[in-house]
Amino acid sequence: MTAFFLGILALGLAQNNAFVGVWEARYNDPNFGPTYVQMVFQPNGNYSQETRTQAGGYVYIPGRYRVVQQGVLRLDIDQRNVYPKEFCGPLGCNPIRYPDGETYYYRFPDRNTLVLQLASCPPGQCVITYRRTR
């Protein structure tokens, strides 16, 4: 029985190791225009995501990542360290409530390409292709 659990643990670690590195993507967001995203996956299970728009928007989301099952990635968001924490407009400032996390379908067409699709979107939508930079 112990060998079975060690095998499952080893499989999970091997899947997580495929993510380790710095990944970048560029796409055209229909609401914000040209957008740049950098995802950093660390070997210890931490990740960070930085999103910048050409219009000057910036969002930083850190947290923990894990492979839930083959082809499914979970990103748990660290609410304490997200940025920005509030949105300010003409009517004042309001706190931003980030979700506890997001689930993605993933695939690696090759070792330097990562395709993520937000699981809550219809098939073929909310897909971003990342390239490994480090």
Side-chain angles (χ1 to χ4, degrees):
M1 189 60 123
T2 302
F4 173 76
F5 288 117
L6 289 175
I8 295 295
L9 177 62
L11 176 62
L13 291 175
Q15 289 175 336
N16 280 354
N17 285 339
F19 290 94
V20 172
V22 178
W23 301 85
E24 295 179 354
R26 296 184 194 295
Y27 63 95
N28 191 31
D29 185 293
N31 297 313
F32 302 105
T35 302
Y36 164 81
V37 181
Q38 182 184 71
M39 296 283 290
V40 178
F41 292 100
Q42 300 175 12
N44 65 1
N46 289 328
Y47 82 94
S48 63
Q49 175 183 335
E50 289 187 38
T51 304
R52 298 176 190 273
T53 66
Q54 188 173 21
Y58 175 78
V59 176
Y60 174 76
I61 301 174
R64 305 269 310 153
Y65 73 97
R66 66 185 187 281
V67 173
V68 177
Q69 66 184 49
Q70 181 65 35
V72 180
L73 176 69
R74 177 68 182 180
L75 301 180
D76 294 315
I77 296 173
D78 176 357
Q79 301 288 333
R80 298 165 299 155
N81 294 309
V82 294
Y83 177 86
K85 293 191 182 295
E86 61 183 11
F87 172 79
C88 296
L91 301 176
C93 295
N94 294 297
I96 297 173
R97 174 67 181 129
Y98 294 85
D100 291 333
E102 296 180 319
T103 301
Y104 291 86
Y105 299 117
Y106 73 86
R107 62 186 173 85
F108 291 96
D110 60 57
R111 66 182 301 270
N112 292 315
T113 305
L114 169 61
V115 179
L116 294 179
Q117 179 192 352
L118 189 60
S120 61
C121 287
Q125 295 183 22
C126 309
V127 177
I128 300 178
T129 301
Y130 293 84
R131 293 290 300 160
R132 185 189 306 269
T133 61
R134 286 181 258 155

